[in-house]
């Protein structure tokens, strides 16, 4: 078993695959507010991303074990799926945020909770810092204590950043 297989078998996504693909570049680069990215490549009984999506962008599942499928033309970037996903697998990424910078709406369930303006270490899928980010907003879209951070960072890391660590 090679290292990539070992990582995937331990729960680390090692590349695009069914249930974990990036949006079409041409649409993504021009979509104000961003598009959802769902990294849920294993068939598990879970569908809150689909049932919480007000626009129908996350297509309804035929089988509750299906991988999520997205109609990117319908995605508004609202982030409700980010707050609702129990597996922390949904993100909204806005490539139009600022020149050279992306904005990611990501789930956050740790303490300390960062504040707007805080600098954070942006981490890849295995927890390594790959760049620095700035917290642009801390939201609670469902008013249920589930926090969604809006973090801006260098756009060239958009396919790597999936979490943050507070730097104090």
């Amino acid at each position: 078993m090679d290292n990539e297989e070992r990582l995937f078998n331990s729960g680390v996504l090692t590349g695009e695959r069914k249930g974990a693909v990036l949006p079409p570049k041409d649409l993504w680069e021009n979509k104000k507010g961003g598009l959802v990215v769902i990294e849920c490549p294993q068939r598990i009984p879970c569908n809150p991303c689909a049932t919480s999506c007000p626009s129908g962008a996350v297509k309804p599942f035929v089988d509750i074990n299906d991988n999520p499928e997205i109609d990117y033309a319908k995605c508004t970037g609202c982030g409700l799926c980010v707050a609702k996903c129990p597996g922390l697998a949904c993100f909204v990424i806005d490539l139009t945020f600022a020149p050279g910078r992306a904005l990611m709406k990501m789930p956050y369930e740790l303490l300390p909770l960062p504040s707007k303006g805080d600098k954070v270490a942006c981490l890849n899928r295995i927890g390594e810092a790959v760049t620095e980010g700035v917290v642009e907003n801390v939201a609670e879209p469902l008013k249920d204590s589930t926090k969604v951070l809006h973090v801006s960072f260098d756009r060239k890391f958009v396919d790597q950043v999936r979490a943050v660590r507070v730097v104090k």
Side-chain angles (χ1 to χ4, degrees):
M1 180 182 305
D2 67 15
N3 193 43
E4 191 168 302
E5 280 182 286
R6 202 171 289 114
L7 281 171
F8 184 72
N9 289 338
S10 69
V12 177
L13 184 63
T14 55
E16 285 191 86
R17 57 184 74 221
K18 184 173 174 60
V21 296
L22 293 175
K25 262 301 198 220
D26 56 330
L27 178 62
W28 198 14
E29 289 180 342
N30 297 299
K31 180 69 162 98
K32 295 266 185 227
L35 292 171
V36 68
V37 172
I38 301 178
E39 295 188 343
C40 192
Q42 296 183 345
R43 289 180 45 83
I44 57 172
C46 184
N47 69 352
C49 56
T51 60
S52 68
C53 183
S55 67
V58 182
K59 297 176 184 178
F61 291 19
V62 174
D63 176 329
I64 196 166
N65 295 296
D66 286 348
N67 298 109
E69 291 185 22
I70 303 157
D71 181 345
Y72 291 105
K74 293 182 178 179
C75 183
T76 64
C78 71
L80 290 178
C81 57
V82 175
K84 201 68 168 166
C85 177
L88 311 178
C90 295
F91 311 90
V92 170
I93 305 174
D94 184 355
L95 298 181
T96 68
F97 176 70
R101 299 202 46 92
L103 180 78
M104 180 181 283
K105 298 174 189 176
M106 64 178 67
Y108 193 81
E109 297 183 337
L110 302 172
L111 293 175
L113 182 65
S115 300
K116 183 176 180 174
D118 285 355
K119 293 199 182 331
V120 291
C122 294
L123 312 176
N124 64 14
R125 292 176 185 88
I126 57 175
E128 300 168 331
V130 292
T131 191
E132 185 179 86
V134 176
V135 177
E136 303 291 344
N137 190 27
V138 179
E140 189 180 336
L142 300 174
K143 308 299 181 224
D144 66 351
S145 298
T146 302
K147 305 298 188 225
V148 175
L149 297 185
H150 299 210
V151 177
S152 66
F153 55 89
D154 187 319
R155 184 178 157 158
K156 69 182 175 188
F157 295 100
V158 76
D159 62 338
Q160 296 175 49
V161 173
R162 291 299 178 264
V164 297
R165 180 175 53 238
V166 174
V167 180
K168 294 269 179 181

